[in-house]
Amino acid sequence: MTRVPTEPATARDVLRATFGYDSFKGDQEGVISHVIAGGDALVLMPTGGGKSLCYQIPALVRPGVGVVISPLIALMHDQVTALEALGVRAGFLNSTQSLDEQRDMERAARDGELDLLYLAPERLGVVRTQQFLDQLQISVFAIDEAHCVSQWGHDFRPDYLRLSMLHERWPAVPRVALTATAPPAVRREIIQRLGLDAARTFVASFDRPNIRYRIEPKQQPVAQLVQLIRTEHDGDAGIVYCLSRASVEKTAEALVREGITALPYHAGLPAEVRSANQARFLREDGVVMVATIAFGMGIDKPDVRFVAHLDLPKSIEGYYQETGRAGRDGLPATAWMAYGLADVVQQRQLIATSDGDAAHKRLQGQHLDAMLGLCETMSCRRQLILEYFGEHAEACGNCDTCLNPPDVFDGTVAAQKLLSTIVRLRRERNQSFGAGQLIDILLGRRTAKIDQWGHDGLSTFGIGTELAETQWRAVVRQLLAGGLLAVSADHGALGITDDSWAVLRGERTVEMRHDVVTRVKSPSRKKVDARGVPVTRSVAATALGEQDRDLFERLRTWRAETAKAASVPAYVVFPDAVLVSIASARPTSLDELFAISGVGAKKLETYGDDVLLVVAA
Ligand code: ADP
Ligand code: ZN
C-alpha cells in the first residue's frame, strides 16, 4: 500500500500526507508559498474558508516551531488534540496549566519536539515568555482572530495591541495574521496596529454558498424554532443565539421539554458549567447550544448544521460571524432568524439609552440600519450581505427571498394613516404612544385605554380596518426599519422623522412586503425505512442515496463510539464530510480509503482497518 514519507518536504506533500487533501482551497496555496518563502501575510477568509492550513503547513515545512497567538484559551486543548490526531506535534501554553506542565511544554519546544505551539496573547507581556521565545527557532508567527486588535470591530482585546512586538523583537520570523471579519475599516486597523504594511493581503470571497439564509417574522419564536429543528434538523448540531441570559435559559428548557438535546451557555453560568456544556457540544453529535453571543468565537466544530437567531443581531458583521459557524465543512447548512417589531423597538431604544457619545451612537445606528435592511429586503439576502462586505454577487438561489420571493404591496396609504395618527396625537393632544395604542386607534377598537384617553374622538379612529393587527405590526416594523418612524428613548413611543414628511405629503411611495411564514422546502425531510426507522437524520447526508445513507449512519455510530473511547470530539475522528465520501465511495482497501479526501496517513493508520470493517459489514 501507499506509504507516505515521514518527513514531508513540500507544502503539497504535507497537504496530502498529513491532512489527506488533494488540492488547496482558494488562496491557501498562495498564502502558504508566500509565508514559506519568509513573507508576511494578512489573510481574510470567511469562517470555514480554511485559514488553519495557511499557518499550519508553513509551520510544518519551515524549520522550527510555529507560534500561534490565539485568544481562545478554552479551545487550545481541543485544537491541539485535533492536530495530534493528524500526527502533528503540537502543544499550548496558557494559564490553565500547572507550572510543571508549562515547564514541560517549554522544554519540549526548546528541544525541537514541537511543530506548533499555541500561546495566549497576554503571555507576551511577561518577560519570561519573551526570553523563552528568544531561545526557540520560530518558523512562523500566526496571529489568529487578528480583528481582536481593532477597536472599531466588536471583539477588541487590549492584549492584542502587544502583538506589534513580534516583528520588532523577532524581525526575521514571517507573520501571518488571519481573520474572518473583513470590513475595510477593520482591515486598515489590523495592518496599522500590527505593522503589516509590507504584508501581502489575501482576500477571499466571503460567500458561504452552502448556507441557506432565512429570516422569518417572529410569532411564537420557540415554537417556530422547534418546528425548524423537527422538520429539517432533527439530530443535527446547532447553535441558537438569544440576547439575554434569561431567554437563553428559558429557550434551552423549552427545547429540552420537546425532547431536543439542548444546553445553555452564557456569561452568568459558573465557569465549570460553561466549559462542561461547551465540551459536550464539541464532543457529542447532535447537541443544540442555546447561547448569548459570548459563545462561539473560535468554535471550529465543522458540522454545526444550523445557527438560529431568536433576537436581532446588532450588526451584519455580528450576524455574519455568528451564522458563519454553520456548515464549515461545506455541507448544506441553515442560518435562520425570527425577527419582529419588538426587536426593532428594543434595539433602537438600547442605542438611544446607551452611554456612548453621539458619534458612537451614530455608528451603532448605522450598524443596526444595515441589519434591518437585510431583514426587510425584498431581494437576495446573500447579495446584500456580500455587498456590505464590498463584494458584488448575483442573486443566489439559496436564500428565502430567492426561493420564495415575497409578495410586495404599495404601503403608502397605510403608512400615511399611521403617520397622520402620530402627527394628530402630537398636535391636537401633545401625546405620543407606542405601536399597540396606535394600532388600536387605527382599528377602531374600544379598549379601556382608548376610552381613558378619548382616542375615539380622533379623526383617524377606525380608518385602518383593511389590515389586521399583525399586518399593522408589520407596517410599523417596516417603517421603523426604513427610518420613516422613530422610537423615543424612554418608553418606546413612536414619532415621525424628517423623512416621514415626504410620505405624508404624497411625494414618496413606500413598498412593503407581506409577512407570511415562509416554509422553504427542505431537502431533508425525515425518511424512514420499511421498519419505520429513520434512515438518516442529518442534513449532511442529503446528497447520498438511500443505501449509502444507511452506511453513513453506521459510520456515524462507529465514530461516536470511537470518539467516546478516545475522549475526543467526534469530528476529530473524521468530520461528516469525510464520512459522506466514504459512504458513497465504499472503499474495500486501505489504498482506496487513503484516496478519499480528508483521510491522511495518521488517520489511515489509526482507523483504517475499523472503517473498512464497517463498510464491509
Ligand atoms: P477557518 O479557520 O477558515 O474557519 P478551517 O481551517 O477550520 O477554516 O477549515 C474549514 C474546513 O475546511 C475544515 O473542516 C478543514 O478540514 C477543511 N479544509 C481546509 N483546507 C482544505 C482543503 N485544502 N481541502 C479540503 N478541505 C479543507
Ligand atoms: Zn439569494
Side-chain angles (χ1 to χ4, degrees):
M1 60 161 287
T2 326
R3 270 296 160 211
V4 287
T6 44
E7 295 250 1
T10 70
R12 227 160 237 290
D13 288 341
V14 178
L15 180 72
R16 181 59 259 200
T18 303
F19 296 96
Y21 299 130
D22 291 320
S23 54
F24 287 107
K25 260 206 310 207
D27 284 334
Q28 278 176 338
E29 186 159 32
V31 178
I32 289 168
S33 60
H34 180 70
V35 175
I36 288 177
D40 292 340
L42 170 59
V43 178
L44 304 141
M45 275 186 193
T47 311
K51 285 186 284 301
S52 327
L53 292 198
C54 293
Y55 60 85
Q56 288 168 350
I57 292 186
L60 289 167
V61 171
R62 284 174 63 92
V65 51
V67 175
V68 186
I69 312 293
S70 164
L72 309 162
I73 295 179
L75 296 171
M76 284 184 184
H77 179 79
D78 276 343
Q79 285 170 327
V80 165
T81 309
L83 283 166
E84 283 171 343
L86 294 165
V88 175
R89 304 174 308 165
F92 62 87
L93 275 177
N94 69 33
S95 50
T96 66
Q97 294 164 304
S98 70
L99 269 182
D100 278 347
E101 285 173 319
Q102 297 185 23
R103 278 201 201 98
D104 280 352
M105 195 56 75
E106 290 179 8
R107 189 205 45 74
R110 268 195 303 269
D111 292 353
E113 290 167 16
L114 289 184
D115 300 311
L116 278 159
L117 176 65
Y118 286 76
L119 204 66
E122 56 271 19
R123 293 188 81 87
L124 284 172
V126 182
V127 176
R128 224 181 73 80
T129 307
Q130 298 169 8
Q131 290 166 344
F132 154 69
L133 292 176
D134 282 338
Q135 297 165 5
L136 304 183
Q137 182 180 20
I138 300 172
S139 54
V140 56
F141 281 118
I143 303 165
D144 206 6
E145 314 287 352
H147 62 280
C148 290
V149 80
S150 156
Q151 271 155 333
W152 190 92
H154 53 298
D155 286 325
F156 175 61
R157 313 234 169 174
D159 281 318
Y160 261 61
L161 294 175
R162 281 189 222 290
L163 299 185
S164 58
M165 157 204 303
L166 298 180
H167 73 294
E168 286 155 12
R169 191 163 175 133
W170 298 280
V173 180
R175 292 171 301 153
V176 48
L178 313 104
T179 177
T181 299
V186 175
R187 198 184 303 177
R188 280 194 298 274
E189 229 183 317
I190 295 175
I191 293 176
Q192 186 229 323
R193 290 187 191 272
L194 295 179
L196 285 169
D197 315 78
R200 225 172 114 185
T201 301
F202 296 84
V203 188
S205 165
F206 270 67
D207 190 15
R208 299 288 309 280
N210 59 313
I211 299 181
R212 179 172 293 181
Y213 298 97
R214 292 156 57 180
I215 301 178
E216 270 183 25
K218 193 186 270 190
Q219 284 146 348
Q220 299 163 287
V222 177
Q224 288 170 275
L225 174 65
V226 169
Q227 164 153 336
L228 172 82
I229 296 177
R230 284 260 172 74
T231 56
E232 300 175 44
H233 288 287
D234 197 9
D236 280 343
I239 306 175
V240 178
Y241 282 111
C242 303
L243 203 58
S244 70
R245 297 170 185 189
S247 59
V248 165
E249 300 272 352
K250 215 178 70 202
T251 308
E253 281 162 22
L255 293 184
V256 168
R257 272 199 303 278
E258 296 287 341
I260 294 162
T261 314
L263 301 170
Y265 189 105
H266 59 71
L269 289 169
E272 316 85 74
V273 176
R274 270 196 325 244
S275 67
N277 287 357
Q278 173 168 309
R280 275 193 66 192
F281 175 72
L282 292 174
R283 271 147 213 259
E284 290 173 27
D285 277 335
V287 174
V288 175
M289 189 66 111
V290 186
T292 57
I293 54 171
F295 177 77
M297 206 215 314
I299 292 290
D300 51 7
K301 186 175 167 58
D303 55 356
V304 176
R305 295 266 67 85
F306 69 92
V307 169
H309 280 92
L310 291 187
D311 293 301
L312 183 69
K314 294 180 166 50
S315 67
I316 291 189
E317 220 186 314
Y319 169 77
Y320 205 56
Q321 200 174 65
E322 286 142 28
T323 54
R325 292 170 186 142
R328 294 167 83 114
D329 54 13
L331 298 172
T334 306
W336 179 90
M337 179 160 110
Y339 149 82
L341 171 58
D343 288 302
V344 193
V345 173
Q346 183 188 29
Q347 294 279 3
R348 287 246 195 267
Q349 273 186 299
L350 274 177
I351 295 175
T353 56
S354 74
D355 321 320
D357 57 15
H360 183 65
K361 286 183 184 177
R362 201 162 46 242
L363 187 66
Q364 285 182 304
Q366 286 164 0
H367 281 312
L368 179 61
D369 285 341
M371 186 64 221
L372 293 174
L374 175 66
C375 292
E376 301 291 359
T377 186
M378 300 175 209
S379 53
C380 174
R381 299 211 198 265
R382 188 183 314 270
Q383 208 171 23
L384 203 146
I385 294 170
L386 291 174
E387 260 160 32
Y388 181 80
F389 291 118
E391 241 178 88
H392 176 73
E394 301 300 319
C396 76
N398 192 29
C399 71
D400 54 357
T401 47
C402 279
L403 291 164
N404 278 4
D407 275 340
V408 175
F409 71 99
D410 182 349
T412 312
V413 172
Q416 286 168 337
K417 288 179 178 176
L418 184 88
L419 293 171
S420 60
T421 303
I422 293 173
V423 172
R424 269 162 223 278
L425 277 169
R426 160 80 40 216
R427 287 201 179 145
E428 295 167 16
R429 318 255 177 123
N430 198 23
Q431 293 171 346
S432 57
F433 283 89
Q437 182 74 357
L438 293 169
I439 292 172
D440 283 347
I441 294 171
L442 289 164
L443 291 176
R445 283 180 171 158
R446 305 208 167 263
T447 67
K449 212 169 152 191
I450 293 281
D451 283 350
Q452 180 195 340
W453 294 101
H455 283 166
D456 50 354
L458 289 166
S459 57
T460 58
F461 185 76
I463 60 165
T465 49
E466 73 278 19
L467 296 183
E469 176 173 351
T470 48
Q471 291 171 311
W472 273 115
R473 291 183 73 82
V475 167
V476 175
R477 192 194 71 221
Q478 294 181 63
L479 291 174
L480 264 174
L484 294 171
L485 268 184
V487 187
S488 75
D490 41 1
H491 59 302
L494 298 177
I496 59 165
T497 68
D498 291 346
D499 291 338
S500 308
W501 289 109
V503 179
L504 276 168
R505 289 194 216 103
E507 294 160 11
R508 174 172 170 179
T509 57
V510 192
E511 229 184 24
M512 291 192 184
R513 52 184 292 166
H514 272 303
D515 271 359
V516 272
V517 181
T518 41
R519 276 264 135 252
V520 178
K521 239 196 168 164
S522 156
S524 60
R525 300 256 174 242
K526 202 158 170 177
K527 280 245 168 77
V528 289
D529 66 12
R531 293 157 297 165
V533 178
V535 174
T536 185
R537 303 185 310 167
S538 176
V539 71
T542 311
L544 294 175
E546 205 145 303
Q547 290 200 335
D548 293 345
R549 284 184 191 214
D550 193 44
L551 175 53
F552 175 76
E553 275 306 302
R554 286 191 289 116
L555 287 164
R556 289 231 299 180
T557 309
W558 164 80
R559 179 180 68 178
E561 289 159 4
T562 308
K564 196 153 186 219
S567 57
V568 296
Y571 63 83
V572 165
V573 175
F574 281 121
D576 279 354
V578 176
L579 296 191
V580 168
S581 305
I582 295 175
S584 72
R586 296 184 173 255
T588 55
S589 68
L590 288 173
D591 269 349
E592 282 174 34
L593 181 58
F594 190 49
I596 288 171
S597 178
V599 182
K602 172 80 188 220
K603 292 211 176 156
L604 187 72
E605 193 184 309
T606 319
Y607 305 120
D609 294 325
D610 287 357
V611 169
L612 292 180
L613 280 177
V614 178
V615 174

